[in-house]
Amino acid sequence: MAELIQRDGTWDFDGERLRLVPGTGRNVHPLRTGLGEIAVPLEAIAGISLEPGRRRARLRLRLREGADPLDHTCSGRLADDATPYALAVESERTGTAEYLVDEVRTALLLERIPVDEPAGRWLLPGPSVPRVVSGGDGKVTFDGRVLRIEWGWACEESKKSAGTRVLPLRDVAAVEWSRARWESGWFRVRPVGPGVEVKPSHDPNCVTLWGLSERRETAEVALLAAAVTARLPHPRVGDGADAGASPGADAPMPPLLTKAGEPTAPAGPEGGAGGAGGKDGHDPDAVLRRLRELGELRSSGVLTEEEFTRAKRALLDRL
């Protein structure tokens, strides 16, 4: 096992997954703390490197295309202090960092991971839900099934006249966002079907961002975008990839886990809790589908054996 402990966080590799734990200092970016601990399965890794620097080196992880919804939605938009896949390394710890790099690279070779091939399904889960982003002219909420856009007093008349937007995932093709820099940022929902390009300030599917606290707003909007993307069909589904790999808008989602590892009831179609009397409460086929999904999450290292057992027990109790 290779482990590197730094002020900004800790990376350790056990041969099967690389565990990234954010630091706890005040200077740690809120996106990293908002994500919390990430377990990256070996099959999601495309490469790892140690980049020399004037004062500190930087450990950088490169993921396979299509492996991570956060990486997919944030590619090229995040500074090194914001991305969870880069870690500043003090000069006295470069030897440990080099050892970790060698261990990961060796494992990639031994396991014959197709590092240059895009993944056909998400190999990491998206951020937890619900998610909320309050912008300059409105607020976006996402409960795992439905996106809701409510307008504030500062919005344009075109948005007020459109009223509150309620978009189930089945009506969403994609989401886009731009970093907030003095009112130039935005979060946009792309509905299914043809559309007309409209300025963010007039687009009823777009909320503008203040830009008053760039770090906080970048964290909030990136987490929201990744949470939505993780629950949409995978980009490669239409290219003949594993069509059953991504949950999509209407497929059942596995039970969400609390920090204590206890399963919670997933959100229903309108954001309510899906209890035993809900749509899938006593549907054996739906439960079996969810069990398969849980098995995939366990195999990819997202769930521990204990978390998998608890979630499986909660599902079987519904039958």
Side-chain angles (χ1 to χ4, degrees):
M1 177 175 173
E3 182 179 52
L4 177 65
I5 302 175
Q6 293 292 275
R7 288 181 297 177
D8 292 342
T10 299
W11 288 22
D12 68 65
F13 180 62
D14 64 3
E16 297 182 354
R17 63 184 60 83
L18 181 62
R19 191 169 64 100
L20 315 180
V21 182
T24 57
R26 294 178 58 185
N27 292 327
V28 177
H29 199 282
L31 175 54
R32 301 172 79 160
T33 56
L35 281 169
E37 180 180 320
I38 303 174
V40 183
L42 187 64
E43 62 177 325
I45 299 175
I48 187 171
S49 60
L50 182 64
E51 304 170 351
R54 182 174 300 178
R55 295 179 56 190
R56 294 190 294 178
R58 191 168 300 276
L59 195 60
R60 192 177 303 277
L61 183 68
R62 183 168 60 89
L63 300 181
R64 291 172 60 195
E65 179 185 345
D68 177 32
L70 178 75
D71 188 58
H72 181 78
T73 58
C74 298
S75 179
R77 294 182 176 89
L78 299 179
D80 283 340
D81 69 328
T83 176
Y85 303 123
L87 182 69
V89 179
E90 301 295 338
S91 58
E92 65 270 17
R93 300 291 288 170
T94 54
T96 303
E98 289 171 350
Y99 174 71
L100 188 147
V101 167
D102 289 341
E103 288 290 292
V104 174
R105 287 177 175 173
T106 299
L108 291 172
L109 289 172
L110 291 176
E111 298 299 327
R112 298 181 180 180
I113 303 299
V115 296
D116 295 323
E117 296 181 11
R121 60 188 178 90
W122 301 124
L123 299 175
L124 287 101
S128 60
V129 291
R131 289 284 161 191
V132 180
V133 169
S134 295
D137 60 2
K139 180 176 72 173
V140 186
T141 59
F142 178 56
D143 62 8
R145 295 286 185 176
V146 176
L147 276 158
R148 185 181 183 91
I149 305 177
E150 302 172 87
W151 305 115
W153 63 271
C155 74
E156 295 287 342
E157 188 60 37
S158 57
K159 291 185 175 182
K160 285 183 180 178
S161 61
T164 298
R165 302 284 287 152
V166 180
L167 296 161
L169 277 183
R170 63 176 175 271
D171 297 334
V172 176
V175 292
E176 304 168 348
W177 66 281
S178 175
R179 285 171 61 185
R181 294 172 179 170
W182 295 107
E183 299 186 3
S184 64
W186 44 264
F187 174 85
R188 175 180 281 126
V189 181
R190 291 285 187 186
V192 173
V196 178
E197 191 70 26
V198 182
K199 289 173 56 178
S201 58
H202 292 84
D203 187 346
N205 295 309
C206 184
V207 168
T208 60
L209 304 176
W210 288 110
L212 299 177
S213 177
E214 184 181 347
R215 283 163 57 95
R216 177 182 58 78
E217 290 184 348
T218 294
E220 290 178 353
V221 73
L223 291 169
L224 172 61
V228 175
T229 300
R231 290 159 176 82
L232 293 174
H234 191 275
R236 293 198 66 218
V237 168
D239 298 331
D242 184 1
S246 290
D250 297 314
M253 296 290 291
L256 302 177
L257 297 174
T258 65
K259 289 186 177 180
E262 296 294 341
T264 62
E270 298 301 327
K279 180 179 178 181
D280 298 328
H282 299 290
D283 183 352
D285 292 335
V287 173
L288 290 175
R289 285 196 299 271
R290 295 194 185 192
L291 285 172
R292 284 195 293 270
E293 291 167 0
L294 285 172
E296 291 179 1
L297 291 174
R298 179 185 60 174
S299 299
S300 63
V302 175
L303 295 180
T304 65
E305 188 67 34
E306 181 181 359
E307 290 169 340
F308 170 77
T309 301
R310 290 178 179 174
K312 181 177 72 172
R313 186 183 304 119
L315 281 174
L316 293 178
D317 286 344
R318 295 186 180 186
L319 291 176

